[in-house]
Amino acid sequence: MHHFSLQKSRTFWLKGLGILLLVMAVCTVLSRVAASFTVAKVTVAAPSERSITHTVLSSGRVEKDRELAVITQPDILVKSVLVKEGQTVKKDTVLLQLDMDSLQDQIDSITQKINALETGVSRAEQDDAQTTEKNRKAVNQASSKLETAKAALAAYKKKGGNDEATLAQLKDDITAAQEAYDAACTARQEEKTASKRALEDAQRANNGSGTLEELYAHRKQLNKIKENSGHVCATADGVVTGIVTTVGQKTTDTAAVTMTDNSAGLRFTAQITKDDAAYVAVGDPVTLQAAGKTVEDVKVDTMEADETGEKLTVTVLVPAGKLALGQSADMEVSRNSEKYPCTIPLMALFQENNKNFVYVMEERDTVLGKKNVARKIEVKVLEKNDTYAAVEQNALDMDSQIIVDMDRFVEEGDEVRLMDE
């Protein structure tokens, strides 16, 4: 009987133990299930050393960088225009055909004006020569009379003459001859100066169409056009951007045709914001993308703010043959900062009351054992882009487990666990 009672008691306690273990197992499962709903799952990463790269993107258009004005001589009738706007031309391509009769009329008119001015110069040269010869003779005669007067006085003295009246007269003759000689020399100089000025005035004379020098140059240019059969040609490889003259009109002294100069390349322009301008400077390398074509090894040439100061126009010089005039393109400008010893993913950074902070995962002892909890640490941001932030190293160390992603919001002291647990 006692043995049966002991056996029954043992069975009871074994059943109780089994039930207890089952309850504990169920509680553990329930605890884990509950934790899966209440404990935040996180992804962590350690700080790393890197440069912060700032990339500025913008779209723009390829424009002409330098425009040439094709100018011909004025007042010549345009017979035909042989190109149209937007046409690509090579150097020496004929742009305009001038009327040869109108051209010859211009040459004849300029020649008549040259002849008239040359006649004036010729007369001034003759007057100058005549004045020079006249004054040469006058000075020579005065010099001869002075020498004769001096010789008469010397001869009288040599003969022993001592008559005071005669000596006085001979000396007066010398004085008069000297004055006449000096006057002749002065007149020669004055008249020479006057005749030279008259000649210079004739050579610089302007009859309303220019001086002789200018008319000579004008006629020379007209003759060059005549020798080229009245053709006005492109002065470089490029694209015709404007035709100012029309058939039946006369040329002017301004551009007849405007065109780009392909040897100077093209220019890409785009606008960026004032904030982006902090990461772009003249001389920075640029990459351009247009219609599947990449252009590298180009740099920012200029930066100019608009009237509001909120936007800046960036220009980039594009070498000849790289892109087409009027083509749209995308610009990328990248600049790397110095290397920072402590950088973190930007998504790990939070801000509250104008202060920046991060959460790190730390292991702490609790009544239920060791657990991972979130700790809030204030940091000072040195520089950031849209991916990473550089922070002062004193708040963190290279072993810090920074929470960079979480499946729910956490606060200081909240229990957390890794995503893969």
Side-chain angles (χ1 to χ4, degrees):
M1 186 72 178
H2 177 73
H3 176 75
F4 175 77
S5 178
L6 183 61
Q7 183 67 31
K8 186 176 181 180
S9 177
R10 182 180 300 173
T11 302
F12 173 79
W13 286 112
L14 287 174
K15 286 182 178 179
L17 179 61
I19 292 171
L20 178 62
L21 291 175
L22 179 61
V23 170
M24 289 179 65
V26 170
C27 289
T28 301
V29 171
L30 291 175
S31 175
R32 290 185 177 180
V33 170
S36 67
F37 288 103
T38 59
V39 177
K41 293 181 179 181
V42 299
T43 302
V44 298
S48 58
E49 180 184 40
R50 65 164 46 83
S51 297
I52 300 296
T53 300
H54 295 280
T55 300
V56 176
L57 304 174
S58 185
S59 297
R61 187 171 294 276
V62 180
E63 303 173 350
K64 55 195 174 190
D65 178 46
R66 187 172 72 187
E67 194 171 37
L68 299 176
V70 180
I71 301 173
T72 187
Q73 297 301 308
D75 297 322
I76 306 173
L77 192 67
V78 178
K79 186 175 182 180
S80 58
V81 177
L82 304 175
V83 292
K84 58 184 178 181
E85 288 189 17
Q87 182 175 334
T88 300
V89 295
K90 295 289 187 181
K91 183 179 180 181
D92 296 328
T93 297
V94 180
L95 307 175
L96 306 175
Q97 171 66 60
L98 302 181
D99 184 81
M100 295 300 290
D101 291 336
S102 178
L103 176 60
Q104 187 60 52
D105 289 343
Q106 277 290 304
I107 294 174
D108 293 343
S109 175
I110 294 296
T111 300
Q112 288 177 1
K113 293 171 182 178
I114 287 174
N115 291 340
L117 289 177
E118 284 180 339
T119 298
V121 172
S122 178
R123 288 174 181 172
E125 289 174 341
Q126 290 176 2
D127 291 344
D128 179 60
Q130 290 172 358
T131 299
T132 299
E133 180 60 20
K134 181 193 73 172
N135 285 306
R136 185 188 66 78
K137 289 180 179 179
V139 169
N140 286 344
Q141 289 176 358
S143 177
S144 178
K145 288 180 179 181
L146 178 59
E147 293 303 320
T148 299
K150 289 179 178 179
L153 177 60
Y156 182 75
K157 286 181 177 181
K158 188 175 180 181
K159 291 180 180 180
N162 55 11
D163 180 64
E164 291 295 330
T166 301
L167 288 171
Q169 182 60 51
L170 291 172
K171 289 179 180 179
D172 288 344
D173 291 343
I174 292 174
T175 299
Q178 183 66 53
E179 290 175 352
Y181 175 75
D182 291 342
C185 289
T186 300
R188 178 180 65 180
Q189 186 60 42
E190 290 176 349
E191 291 184 14
K192 182 66 176 176
T193 300
S195 66
K196 285 296 183 185
R197 285 176 179 170
L199 177 59
E200 290 172 358
D201 288 343
Q203 291 170 335
R204 291 196 299 263
N206 191 324
N207 61 2
S209 298
T211 64
L212 262 177
E213 184 177 354
E214 291 169 342
L215 290 172
Y216 285 145
H218 191 178
R219 186 171 64 177
K220 183 178 180 180
Q221 292 300 321
L222 291 171
N223 281 321
K224 279 186 177 180
I225 297 173
K226 181 180 178 180
E227 292 169 3
N228 200 32
S229 303
H231 295 162
V232 178
C233 300
T235 55
D237 293 351
V239 177
V240 176
T241 56
I243 300 174
V244 183
T245 190
T246 58
V247 175
Q249 288 187 341
K250 287 191 174 182
T251 56
T252 65
D253 57 359
T254 58
V257 176
T258 57
M259 59 178 290
T260 62
D261 180 3
N262 281 359
S263 64
L266 298 171
R267 178 180 60 192
F268 169 84
T269 62
Q271 283 195 323
I272 61 174
T273 65
K274 182 173 64 175
D275 292 337
D276 283 340
Y279 307 112
V280 180
V282 172
D284 281 355
V286 176
T287 299
L288 299 176
Q289 294 277 354
K293 188 174 183 180
T294 301
V295 178
E296 298 177 319
D297 299 326
V298 290
K299 297 180 179 180
V300 175
D301 183 56
T302 62
M303 295 177 64
E304 185 175 349
D306 65 5
E307 295 178 355
T308 67
E310 296 300 316
K311 290 185 177 294
L312 289 89
T313 298
V314 177
T315 64
V316 179
L317 298 183
V318 182
K322 295 291 186 179
L323 296 175
L325 180 65
Q327 190 172 16
S328 296
D330 296 322
M331 173 186 75
E332 180 179 313
V333 185
S334 296
R335 179 188 294 179
N336 291 327
S337 72
E338 60 181 282
K339 255 191 177 175
Y340 291 103
C342 185
T343 66
I344 61 174
L346 187 66
M347 61 189 303
L349 189 67
F350 297 89
Q351 191 176 61
E352 187 178 81
N353 298 325
N354 294 323
K355 292 183 178 180
N356 296 297
F357 63 91
V358 298
Y359 288 107
V360 297
M361 187 178 75
E362 291 183 343
E363 189 177 68
R364 290 183 185 174
D365 290 324
T366 69
V367 293
L368 298 177
K370 293 184 180 295
K371 289 186 177 181
N372 290 321
V373 298
R375 182 163 73 93
K376 186 177 181 179
I377 299 178
E378 186 177 333
V379 293
K380 182 177 180 181
V381 177
L382 303 176
E383 189 174 350
K384 64 181 180 179
N385 59 15
D386 56 358
T387 308
Y388 291 97
V391 299
E392 282 191 349
Q393 196 174 7
N394 56 1
L396 302 169
D397 59 47
M398 303 311 288
D399 295 324
S400 296
Q401 290 187 299
I402 301 168
I403 297 175
V404 297
D405 193 17
M406 58 188 76
D407 66 352
R408 69 197 64 188
F409 184 73
V410 300
E411 293 183 345
E412 169 76 22
D414 283 355
E415 183 181 354
V416 295
R417 60 179 179 147
L418 296 176
M419 287 281 188
D420 55 359
E421 288 184 351

